[in-house]
């Protein structure tokens, strides 16, 4: 694991910064919001907690939760319209600052592409920089499952995406920022990991990373040292 000073140095010179989305870039967990909207909130929230704690495989947790939610395309669209994802304070300023420095910014999420794309557009992140799970619907709009071939649909998927980005773009220094176990395990191949506790603190993540922040202002401050 990199030390605190090494992590800060890698962040300052990074070619690419990858953000988790749920409870990091946005305040809520998208799947929990979708479950609440579909009337099965409590059952799904408990399963999300277990998934984030790393006690069940990510794909199994995703499959189990979606089999309870069974959302239609119409419900997903209505959720985004009626309850758009709430950006975490400071994320827009941080992403703008990184873009001004010609740092590539990516969103890598175990959440759903339809929601994450909405977030990306608010942050001026190009949609080809979004990696997330795809929901599948029948022609009548009813839930038909999810695309299990996406790397983000399984444990270790975020690391696989980062490996792919390094190969595709030739990035040397890639930083992963997130709140959960799936973010932490993406380093390596990420050069450094920064734990984020501004929305929810996960003790098993906080204990295992050298740089843990509770606001994006701390990261902005670090960039100002350049």
């Amino acid at each position: 694991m990199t030390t605190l000073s090494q992590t800060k140095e890698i962040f300052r010179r990074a070619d690419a910064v990858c953000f988790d989305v749920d409870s990091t870039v946005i305040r809520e967990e998208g799947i929990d919001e979708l479950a609440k909207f579909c009337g099965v909130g409590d059952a799904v929230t408990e399963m999300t907690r277990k998934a984030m704690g790393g006690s069940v495989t990510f794909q199994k947790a995703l499959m189990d939760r979606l089999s309870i939610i069974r959302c239609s395309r119409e419900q997903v669209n209505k959720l985004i319209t009626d309850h758009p994802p709430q950006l975490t304070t400071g994320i827009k300023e941080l992403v703008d600052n990184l873009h001004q420095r010609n740092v590539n910014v990516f969103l890598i999420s175990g959440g759903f592409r339809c929601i994450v794309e909405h977030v990306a557009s608010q942050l001026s992140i190009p949609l080809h920089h979004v990696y997330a799970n795809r929901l599948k619907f029948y022609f009548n709009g009813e839930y038909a499952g999810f695309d299990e071939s996406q790397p983000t649909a399984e444990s270790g998927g975020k690391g696989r995406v980062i490996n792919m980005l390094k190969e595709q773009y030739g990035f040397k220094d890639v930083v992963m920022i997130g709140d959960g176990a799936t973010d932490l395990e993406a380093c390596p191949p990420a050069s450094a990991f920064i734990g984020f506790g501004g929305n929810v603190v996960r003790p098993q993540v906080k204990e295992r990373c050298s740089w843990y922040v509770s606001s994006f202002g701390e990261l902005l401050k670090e960039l100002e040292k350049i």
Side-chain angles (χ1 to χ4, degrees), residues 71-223:
C71 51
S72 66
R73 183 187 277 121
E74 188 184 351
Q75 283 173 313
V76 174
N77 291 342
K78 195 160 166 46
L79 170 72
I80 295 167
T81 307
D82 294 359
H83 302 281
Q86 300 297 302
L87 292 178
T88 301
T89 304
I91 187 62
K92 179 123 183 57
E93 293 80 357
L94 178 57
V95 170
D96 286 349
N97 193 301
L98 289 166
H99 279 154
Q100 282 162 18
R101 296 170 190 272
N102 295 317
V103 178
N104 288 275
V105 178
F106 295 86
L107 299 180
I108 308 180
S109 174
F112 308 122
R113 190 172 180 95
C114 46
I115 296 172
V116 177
E117 284 186 347
H118 179 82
V119 174
S121 61
Q122 287 180 283
L123 297 172
S124 305
I125 295 171
L127 297 187
H128 68 278
H129 282 201
V130 171
Y131 292 84
N133 290 314
R134 291 179 187 274
L135 292 171
K136 296 196 290 195
F137 302 99
Y138 292 111
F139 68 92
N140 65 354
E142 284 180 13
Y143 175 71
F146 66 98
D147 183 354
E148 293 176 38
S149 70
Q150 294 294 316
T152 47
E154 55 190 345
S155 300
K158 291 181 180 179
R160 269 191 288 287
V161 171
I162 289 172
N163 259 333
M164 198 170 68
L165 295 177
K166 286 168 97 169
E167 282 172 28
Q168 190 178 335
Y169 295 97
F171 295 141
K172 186 171 172 287
D173 293 309
V174 179
V175 176
M176 180 74 207
I177 300 173
D179 67 287
T182 59
D183 309 311
L184 177 66
E185 70 181 19
C187 178
S191 319
F193 170 72
I194 301 167
F196 183 75
N199 293 307
V200 60
V201 175
R202 305 193 195 279
Q204 75 281 13
V205 174
K206 187 175 184 178
E207 286 157 18
R208 289 173 56 201
C209 65
S210 54
W211 193 14
Y212 193 83
V213 299
S214 55
S215 78
F216 287 124
E218 293 172 65
L219 301 184
L220 264 171
K221 219 174 274 181
E222 197 58 40
L223 290 178

